[in-house]
Amino acid sequence: SVCKTSQTPFILFFQLVWLGINVFLFVHFYLAFLVERYYYTRVILGHALSWARAPAACLNFNCMLILLPVCRNLLSFLRGSIQYCSRTAARQLDRNLTFHKLVAYMIALHTAIHIIAHLFNFERFMDSQLMINSSYLPYVLSQIGNNDNRSYLNPIRTNETNIEGMRRMMFTTIAGLTGVVITLALILIITSSMEVIRRSYFEVFWFTHHLFIVFFIGLVLHGVGRIVRGQTIESVKVHKPDECHSRFEDWGKNGTDCPEPVFAGNPPMTWKWVVGPMILYVCERLVRFYRSQQKVVITKVVMHPSKTLELQMKKKGFKMEVGQYVFMQCPSISQLEWHPFTLTSAPEEDHLSVHIRIVGDWTQALYTACGGDKTVVQDAWTLPKVAVDGPFGTASEDVFRYEVVMLVGAGIGVTPFASVLKSVWYKHVQENKNVFTKKIYFYWLCPETQAFEWFADLLQSLERQMMEKDMSDFLSYNIYLTRWKDAEAAHFRVQYEAEDDPITGLKQKTRYGKPNWDNEFSAIATQHPGSKVGVFLCGPTALATALGKQCISHTESGTEFIFNKENF
């Protein structure tokens, strides 16, 4: 028995390739600075030189990657091209933000190693300059270039104290100043990306994240000072370090075969890694700006009781598929902020719609602008202007490829299933030959009664239409209330005998607690022997693990459960 989660091997392979490239670059550049050309640099710095340069190479690679996962329009283009060959590969592009975070963690790790190594390097550069001893090779190497300042090895050119030298190094050199700036920018970006800040203070997260502009400018300029220096190739040919290092007192004297070594800095390389992604990202922002200027008309505003705002809109040329999302901007609230929302409309409808829970400053401002706090109907011309960018994400057309489908939504994870349920119904009514779905089992787990209200409207509409067409067996829905108060429980008991459910108004009664998944899977396997059952979840990882195990254990007797963890 198998549970088909074909995305996992692909993701694992991709991550292993990425980690492998990081390991290769680290080892390659570590060894690259153990060669003869950097012999004298290592005399002063030891292996701290390689420990600084190896993570720098990995930083270049990861900084090249960090912008690509947030180029939404580029990903949409790639997704559309790839899915003709492999829908599984196309679906992996929806994990772009996960990869973006992994790359960010890798950047933070290599930055820390790079900084620590350079702190050791600074101390050793300083010590070799302060230890005045003409028989001490690091001191002799530090004095080279004192006269003309053209060919030097030690970038610290004075014998000031450690504190004064560090201050001069950090704030008067290009490498030091840009290093401080990009480190501070990175710290602010990472700390403000913590989930608690991102969810509670989105504006803080959004604005500090744009310090990436400062970060990349500093990154490109960081190597311009050529602070890491080594012997020139021409100098190595006439001055062999392994032969001449012990005769440093005779360097440059007449009759010696060891002329004074000549040193030079490495040319900056970072720009070669990041210029391509930077150009792509600039193009991405230009495309977003162009799309934000296209007219969007709000045709209907629905205020649901649970402080959920439904916006129905029209945009010329807009095409969508189930499971996709858009980014919305309201210029009257903020000219800069864009927020993602799952589309709850179906492709067969003549409009696009989103359901927005009022949970933050931006959504509260939108709620107020749309008249959510007013009792009178708003005139169309008083509604705020909005911009829509998208749609993005892989279409969840896999739902239509199964005869039997299980849809499992947890909490707000039910939102994308609004689009799925409506589209499946439309296709079924229109007798679309590309749709094989004959039965849908829908499960919704919700912790509070208020959250049922807006989605119950959709279910009531579907229930009514199915009864009119004598197709009430097409959709079986099971709604679970996972938390409730004693007073609510008493009220529900009194109302339980009523024809309609006291919470949702549906014929099907709400259940309390959590589903017994073992019983549910067994019942479906018994009901549909020999069928392939598509299991689609939009919910937390713990629930995904539980359903994945159920798929494996119940794939028997010809019934095959195929698990899909959706990324809406």
Side-chain angles (χ1 to χ4, degrees):
S1 63
V2 292
C3 172
K4 291 186 180 177
T5 51
S6 55
Q7 298 95 320
T8 304
F10 189 94
I11 294 169
L12 184 61
F13 173 76
F14 182 81
Q15 290 178 349
L16 286 174
V17 169
W18 170 66
L19 286 171
I21 294 173
N22 273 281
V23 171
F24 168 76
L25 287 172
F26 195 97
V27 173
H28 175 77
F29 278 89
Y30 189 96
L31 297 176
F33 284 85
L34 297 180
V35 297
E36 189 178 39
R37 185 188 166 202
Y38 295 100
Y39 179 89
Y40 289 126
T41 316
R42 294 196 306 277
V43 167
I44 298 177
L45 303 179
H47 282 273
L49 170 66
S50 290
W51 279 103
R53 298 314 303 156
C58 294
L59 278 170
N60 287 340
F61 172 63
N62 287 286
C63 288
M64 176 186 74
L65 297 177
I66 192 74
L67 289 177
L68 299 180
V70 291
C71 291
R72 299 193 294 259
N73 290 287
L74 172 65
L75 293 180
S76 290
F77 171 76
L78 292 175
R79 187 182 293 111
S81 303
I82 293 172
Q83 69 181 356
Y84 290 109
C85 304
S86 170
R87 286 189 55 77
T88 299
R91 190 180 289 275
Q92 307 321 307
L93 293 174
D94 288 338
R95 300 174 184 268
N96 57 322
L97 292 184
T98 301
F99 183 63
H100 178 73
K101 293 174 186 176
L102 284 174
V103 173
Y105 295 145
M106 189 65 80
I107 288 174
L109 172 64
H110 287 300
T111 299
I113 298 172
H114 184 71
I115 291 172
I116 292 170
H118 269 318
L119 289 175
F120 281 103
N121 289 337
F122 171 80
E123 183 180 12
R124 288 168 182 175
F125 273 138
M126 202 74 240
D127 288 345
S128 65
Q129 191 68 266
L130 292 173
M131 192 171 291
I132 303 173
N133 185 348
S134 58
S135 61
Y136 181 56
L137 181 55
Y139 173 75
V140 173
L141 291 169
S142 297
Q143 302 311 302
I144 294 176
N146 274 353
N147 297 326
D148 54 20
N149 209 34
R150 285 179 298 179
S151 172
Y152 63 89
L153 178 60
N154 191 335
I156 297 177
R157 309 306 300 145
T158 65
N159 56 1
E160 295 173 321
T161 63
N162 279 9
I163 295 176
E164 291 171 345
M166 178 173 283
R167 188 183 298 119
R168 179 184 292 273
M169 190 80 169
M170 289 178 63
F171 298 107
T172 63
T173 64
I174 294 175
L177 187 59
T178 55
V180 170
V181 169
I182 60 181
T183 301
L184 290 175
L186 185 63
I187 291 171
L188 288 172
I189 289 171
I190 291 176
T191 53
S192 65
S193 299
M194 296 170 63
E195 189 167 356
V196 63
I197 294 177
R198 193 174 72 250
R199 293 191 178 278
S200 302
Y201 306 98
F202 182 83
E203 291 80 4
V204 173
F205 159 76
W206 198 92
F207 285 111
T208 54
H209 232 62
H210 280 72
L211 287 172
F212 82 90
I213 299 171
V214 175
F215 177 86
F216 271 92
I217 292 173
L219 192 69
V220 170
L221 295 176
H222 187 58
V224 171
R226 304 191 181 197
I227 203 167
V228 175
R229 305 175 73 81
Q231 200 174 351
T232 64
I233 295 173
E234 292 76 14
S235 176
V236 171
K237 292 177 181 178
V238 296
H239 179 113
K240 300 290 185 182
D242 55 342
E243 298 174 4
C244 297
H245 74 276
S246 58
R247 293 185 282 159
F248 61 87
E249 294 177 349
D250 297 327
W251 287 353
K253 293 181 180 179
N254 292 331
T256 181
D257 56 354
C258 292
E260 187 174 83
V262 178
F263 300 100
N266 292 331
M269 300 293 292
T270 301
W271 69 272
K272 295 180 181 180
W273 290 82
V274 301
V275 68
M278 289 173 72
I279 291 172
L280 280 174
Y281 189 77
V282 169
C283 294
E284 164 77 16
R285 296 308 291 252
L286 291 174
V287 170
R288 289 188 200 176
F289 177 77
Y290 169 74
R291 293 171 76 163
S292 70
Q293 302 304 304
Q294 294 176 320
K295 187 176 182 181
V296 177
V297 178
I298 299 177
T299 57
K300 189 176 182 180
V301 178
V302 182
M303 306 294 179
H304 294 283
S306 54
K307 285 207 87 175
T308 298
L309 176 68
E310 179 184 352
L311 294 182
Q312 295 184 11
M313 299 163 283
K314 287 190 176 182
K315 181 179 179 180
K316 187 177 180 181
F318 186 88
K319 294 180 180 179
M320 62 160 288
E321 298 293 343
V322 294
Q324 294 188 305
Y325 63 94
V326 294
F327 278 81
M328 284 184 57
Q329 177 213 38
C330 184
S332 62
I333 299 174
S334 172
Q335 291 281 352
L336 300 175
E337 290 183 50
W338 289 81
H339 294 263
F341 297 101
T342 301
L343 288 164
T344 53
S345 51
E348 293 80 5
E349 294 177 316
D350 63 351
H351 64 272
L352 63 126
S353 67
V354 293
H355 284 71
I356 303 170
R357 290 188 67 188
I358 313 306
V359 291
D361 295 341
W362 190 90
T363 52
Q364 181 61 52
L366 182 64
Y367 182 79
T368 303
C370 291
D373 55 347
K374 297 181 175 65
T375 55
V376 296
V377 178
Q378 292 280 92
D379 292 324
W381 61 270
T382 63
L383 294 173
K385 290 183 178 180
V386 294
V388 172
D389 188 18
F392 302 106
T394 303
S396 301
E397 293 174 345
D398 288 352
V399 174
F400 309 135
R401 300 172 187 266
Y402 299 98
E403 241 183 81
V404 183
V405 174
M406 287 179 68
L407 303 177
V408 183
I412 195 63
V414 77
T415 309
F417 290 132
S419 176
V420 173
L421 287 172
K422 283 194 277 188
S423 186
V424 170
W425 172 251
Y426 282 128
K427 292 180 188 296
H428 199 77
V429 170
Q430 295 166 5
E431 298 181 354
N432 189 320
K433 294 181 180 179
N434 293 323
V435 179
F436 303 102
T437 310
K438 299 293 187 291
K439 179 69 176 179
I440 295 178
Y441 294 91
F442 174 62
Y443 297 85
W444 185 16
L445 288 64
C446 200
E448 55 185 18
T449 57
Q450 290 76 18
F452 286 114
E453 293 167 345
W454 75 266
F455 197 74
D457 293 341
L458 168 63
L459 292 178
Q460 287 174 15
S461 174
L462 287 174
E463 185 179 64
R464 186 172 58 254
Q465 292 177 57
M466 285 188 296
M467 292 181 68
E468 289 173 357
K469 294 183 178 291
D470 195 25
M471 295 172 58
S472 53
D473 289 338
F474 176 70
L475 172 65
S476 293
Y477 43 90
N478 302 277
I479 302 176
Y480 290 83
L481 182 63
T482 57
R483 289 201 299 265
W484 60 87
K485 298 176 183 177
D486 291 340
E488 291 176 330
H491 173 71
F492 299 152
R493 278 197 299 270
V494 172
Q495 300 293 326
Y496 194 77
E497 297 302 323
E499 182 180 357
D500 296 332
D501 183 75
I503 299 177
T504 63
L506 295 164
K507 303 296 181 187
Q508 173 70 45
K509 297 298 171 53
T510 298
R511 303 177 185 187
Y512 303 96
K514 296 179 180 179
N516 184 323
W517 291 116
D518 190 54
N519 290 345
E520 297 295 331
F521 275 77
S522 296
I524 293 172
T526 303
Q527 192 75 22
H528 306 278
S531 298
K532 286 188 176 182
V533 182
V535 181
F536 293 83
L537 166 69
C538 188
T541 304
L543 184 55
T545 303
L547 291 182
K549 290 178 180 178
Q550 292 293 336
C551 285
I552 294 172
S553 62
H554 287 86
T555 296
E556 56 190 19
S557 303
T559 302
E560 186 177 16
F561 289 89
I562 301 172
F563 181 59
N564 298 267
K565 175 69 169 69
E566 289 299 309
N567 293 285
F568 293 103

mmCIF file of all heavy atoms in Angstrom, residues 5 34 50 60 62 77 123 152 189 198 249 289 301 349 403 406 441 553:
data_model
loop_
_atom_site.group_PDB
_atom_site.id
_atom_site.type_symbol
_atom_site.label_atom_id
_atom_site.label_comp_id
_atom_site.label_asym_id
_atom_site.label_seq_id
_atom_site.Cartn_x
_atom_site.Cartn_y
_atom_site.Cartn_z
ATOM 1 N N THR A 5 2.492 10.956 -2.321
ATOM 2 C CA THR A 5 2.796 12.351 -2.056
ATOM 3 C C THR A 5 4.031 12.667 -2.882
ATOM 4 O O THR A 5 5.136 12.791 -2.379
ATOM 5 C CB THR A 5 3.063 12.600 -0.553
ATOM 6 O OG1 THR A 5 4.026 11.651 -0.125
ATOM 7 C CG2 THR A 5 1.794 12.424 0.260
ATOM 8 N N LEU A 34 44.309 28.246 0.246
ATOM 9 C CA LEU A 34 45.441 27.523 0.841
ATOM 10 C C LEU A 34 46.573 27.350 -0.165
ATOM 11 O O LEU A 34 47.541 26.643 0.094
ATOM 12 C CB LEU A 34 44.980 26.142 1.343
ATOM 13 C CG LEU A 34 43.929 26.134 2.454
ATOM 14 C CD1 LEU A 34 43.593 24.707 2.843
ATOM 15 C CD2 LEU A 34 44.408 26.925 3.678
ATOM 16 N N SER A 50 40.789 31.495 5.127
ATOM 17 C CA SER A 50 39.878 30.590 4.417
ATOM 18 C C SER A 50 38.504 30.577 5.062
ATOM 19 O O SER A 50 37.479 30.475 4.373
ATOM 20 C CB SER A 50 40.461 29.175 4.403
ATOM 21 O OG SER A 50 41.592 29.102 3.560
ATOM 22 N N ASN A 60 27.505 34.813 -1.722
ATOM 23 C CA ASN A 60 27.261 35.256 -3.100
ATOM 24 C C ASN A 60 26.208 34.368 -3.766
ATOM 25 O O ASN A 60 25.275 34.857 -4.410
ATOM 26 C CB ASN A 60 28.561 35.215 -3.913
ATOM 27 C CG ASN A 60 29.518 36.319 -3.524
ATOM 28 O OD1 ASN A 60 29.119 37.318 -2.942
ATOM 29 N ND2 ASN A 60 30.781 36.131 -3.828
ATOM 30 N N ASN A 62 23.875 32.372 -2.349
ATOM 31 C CA ASN A 62 22.545 32.468 -1.742
ATOM 32 C C ASN A 62 21.904 33.833 -1.943
ATOM 33 O O ASN A 62 20.680 33.921 -2.066
ATOM 34 C CB ASN A 62 22.624 32.115 -0.255
ATOM 35 C CG ASN A 62 22.823 30.629 -0.041
ATOM 36 O OD1 ASN A 62 21.906 29.841 -0.207
ATOM 37 N ND2 ASN A 62 24.043 30.234 0.325
ATOM 38 N N PHE A 77 5.091 32.588 -14.831
ATOM 39 C CA PHE A 77 5.505 32.230 -16.193
ATOM 40 C C PHE A 77 6.126 30.838 -16.210
ATOM 41 O O PHE A 77 5.798 30.006 -17.067
ATOM 42 C CB PHE A 77 6.495 33.268 -16.719
ATOM 43 C CG PHE A 77 7.143 32.880 -18.022
ATOM 44 C CD1 PHE A 77 6.440 32.980 -19.219
ATOM 45 C CD2 PHE A 77 8.447 32.400 -18.053
ATOM 46 C CE1 PHE A 77 7.030 32.612 -20.420
ATOM 47 C CE2 PHE A 77 9.041 32.031 -19.251
ATOM 48 C CZ PHE A 77 8.333 32.134 -20.434
ATOM 49 N N GLU A 123 42.174 41.154 14.399
ATOM 50 C CA GLU A 123 43.067 41.090 15.554
ATOM 51 C C GLU A 123 44.484 40.712 15.125
ATOM 52 O O GLU A 123 45.476 41.291 15.606
ATOM 53 C CB GLU A 123 42.527 40.065 16.560
ATOM 54 C CG GLU A 123 43.375 39.982 17.832
ATOM 55 C CD GLU A 123 42.830 38.965 18.812
ATOM 56 O OE1 GLU A 123 41.943 38.174 18.417
ATOM 57 O OE2 GLU A 123 43.301 38.936 19.959
ATOM 58 N N TYR A 152 50.842 46.502 -0.779
ATOM 59 C CA TYR A 152 50.861 46.177 0.638
ATOM 60 C C TYR A 152 50.044 44.906 0.868
ATOM 61 O O TYR A 152 49.207 44.500 0.058
ATOM 62 C CB TYR A 152 50.305 47.334 1.473
ATOM 63 C CG TYR A 152 48.859 47.667 1.187
ATOM 64 C CD1 TYR A 152 47.821 47.034 1.871
ATOM 65 C CD2 TYR A 152 48.524 48.627 0.238
ATOM 66 C CE1 TYR A 152 46.491 47.334 1.605
ATOM 67 C CE2 TYR A 152 47.201 48.937 -0.033
ATOM 68 C CZ TYR A 152 46.200 48.288 0.661
ATOM 69 O OH TYR A 152 44.884 48.584 0.402
ATOM 70 N N ILE A 189 15.988 42.815 9.078
ATOM 71 C CA ILE A 189 15.131 42.052 8.174
ATOM 72 C C ILE A 189 14.733 40.720 8.812
ATOM 73 O O ILE A 189 13.552 40.340 8.799
ATOM 74 C CB ILE A 189 15.841 41.801 6.823
ATOM 75 C CG1 ILE A 189 15.945 43.115 6.033
ATOM 76 C CG2 ILE A 189 15.096 40.765 6.001
ATOM 77 C CD1 ILE A 189 16.828 43.009 4.800
ATOM 78 N N ARG A 198 5.372 39.469 12.231
ATOM 79 C CA ARG A 198 4.746 39.533 10.907
ATOM 80 C C ARG A 198 3.223 39.524 11.000
ATOM 81 O O ARG A 198 2.543 40.215 10.257
ATOM 82 C CB ARG A 198 5.238 38.348 10.065
ATOM 83 C CG ARG A 198 4.913 38.484 8.592
ATOM 84 C CD ARG A 198 5.533 37.376 7.774
ATOM 85 N NE ARG A 198 4.873 36.095 7.986
ATOM 86 C CZ ARG A 198 5.409 35.074 8.619
ATOM 87 N NH1 ARG A 198 6.632 35.183 9.124
ATOM 88 N NH2 ARG A 198 4.763 33.940 8.771
ATOM 89 N N GLU A 249 64.968 38.589 5.506
ATOM 90 C CA GLU A 249 65.878 39.708 5.801
ATOM 91 C C GLU A 249 66.659 40.144 4.562
ATOM 92 O O GLU A 249 67.179 41.263 4.508
ATOM 93 C CB GLU A 249 66.840 39.310 6.919
ATOM 94 C CG GLU A 249 66.133 39.097 8.255
ATOM 95 C CD GLU A 249 67.093 38.628 9.346
ATOM 96 O OE1 GLU A 249 68.246 38.273 9.006
ATOM 97 O OE2 GLU A 249 66.676 38.622 10.514
ATOM 98 N N PHE A 289 3.866 47.250 -11.111
ATOM 99 C CA PHE A 289 3.371 48.624 -11.197
ATOM 100 C C PHE A 289 2.387 48.774 -12.352
ATOM 101 O O PHE A 289 1.333 49.398 -12.210
ATOM 102 C CB PHE A 289 4.552 49.590 -11.381
ATOM 103 C CG PHE A 289 4.129 51.025 -11.563
ATOM 104 C CD1 PHE A 289 3.735 51.780 -10.482
ATOM 105 C CD2 PHE A 289 4.131 51.607 -12.832
ATOM 106 C CE1 PHE A 289 3.323 53.107 -10.647
ATOM 107 C CE2 PHE A 289 3.736 52.917 -13.008
ATOM 108 C CZ PHE A 289 3.331 53.670 -11.907
ATOM 109 N N VAL A 301 -20.307 44.490 -2.249
ATOM 110 C CA VAL A 301 -19.676 44.368 -0.938
ATOM 111 C C VAL A 301 -20.664 43.672 -0.002
ATOM 112 O O VAL A 301 -21.817 44.088 0.108
ATOM 113 C CB VAL A 301 -19.297 45.742 -0.355
ATOM 114 C CG1 VAL A 301 -18.694 45.583 1.039
ATOM 115 C CG2 VAL A 301 -18.325 46.469 -1.275
ATOM 116 N N GLU A 349 -17.488 31.932 -12.950
ATOM 117 C CA GLU A 349 -18.241 33.138 -12.598
ATOM 118 C C GLU A 349 -17.670 34.346 -13.336
ATOM 119 O O GLU A 349 -16.509 34.349 -13.750
ATOM 120 C CB GLU A 349 -18.204 33.349 -11.085
ATOM 121 C CG GLU A 349 -18.945 32.247 -10.338
ATOM 122 C CD GLU A 349 -18.857 32.392 -8.831
ATOM 123 O OE1 GLU A 349 -17.754 32.669 -8.323
ATOM 124 O OE2 GLU A 349 -19.888 32.221 -8.164
ATOM 125 N N GLU A 403 -12.624 10.335 -9.102
ATOM 126 C CA GLU A 403 -14.053 10.023 -9.004
ATOM 127 C C GLU A 403 -14.585 10.393 -7.638
ATOM 128 O O GLU A 403 -15.699 10.880 -7.485
ATOM 129 C CB GLU A 403 -14.268 8.524 -9.250
ATOM 130 C CG GLU A 403 -15.156 8.237 -10.447
ATOM 131 C CD GLU A 403 -15.401 6.754 -10.614
ATOM 132 O OE1 GLU A 403 -16.275 6.239 -9.903
ATOM 133 O OE2 GLU A 403 -14.713 6.147 -11.434
ATOM 134 N N MET A 406 -11.961 13.754 -1.132
ATOM 135 C CA MET A 406 -12.093 14.206 0.257
ATOM 136 C C MET A 406 -11.435 15.576 0.369
ATOM 137 O O MET A 406 -10.256 15.726 0.058
ATOM 138 C CB MET A 406 -11.403 13.236 1.215
ATOM 139 C CG MET A 406 -12.105 11.909 1.428
ATOM 140 S SD MET A 406 -11.163 10.846 2.567
ATOM 141 C CE MET A 406 -11.335 11.743 4.117
ATOM 142 N N TYR A 441 -16.601 14.367 -0.418
ATOM 143 C CA TYR A 441 -16.738 14.363 1.039
ATOM 144 C C TYR A 441 -15.992 15.582 1.555
ATOM 145 O O TYR A 441 -14.771 15.693 1.375
ATOM 146 C CB TYR A 441 -16.144 13.091 1.640
ATOM 147 C CG TYR A 441 -16.888 11.828 1.272
ATOM 148 C CD1 TYR A 441 -16.530 11.084 0.147
ATOM 149 C CD2 TYR A 441 -17.954 11.370 2.050
ATOM 150 C CE1 TYR A 441 -17.195 9.919 -0.190
ATOM 151 C CE2 TYR A 441 -18.639 10.202 1.716
ATOM 152 C CZ TYR A 441 -18.256 9.486 0.591
ATOM 153 O OH TYR A 441 -18.939 8.341 0.258
ATOM 154 N N SER A 553 -2.534 3.566 5.594
ATOM 155 C CA SER A 553 -3.119 2.402 6.270
ATOM 156 C C SER A 553 -4.410 1.928 5.625
ATOM 157 O O SER A 553 -4.785 0.766 5.772
ATOM 158 C CB SER A 553 -3.358 2.723 7.748
ATOM 159 O OG SER A 553 -4.286 3.784 7.888
#
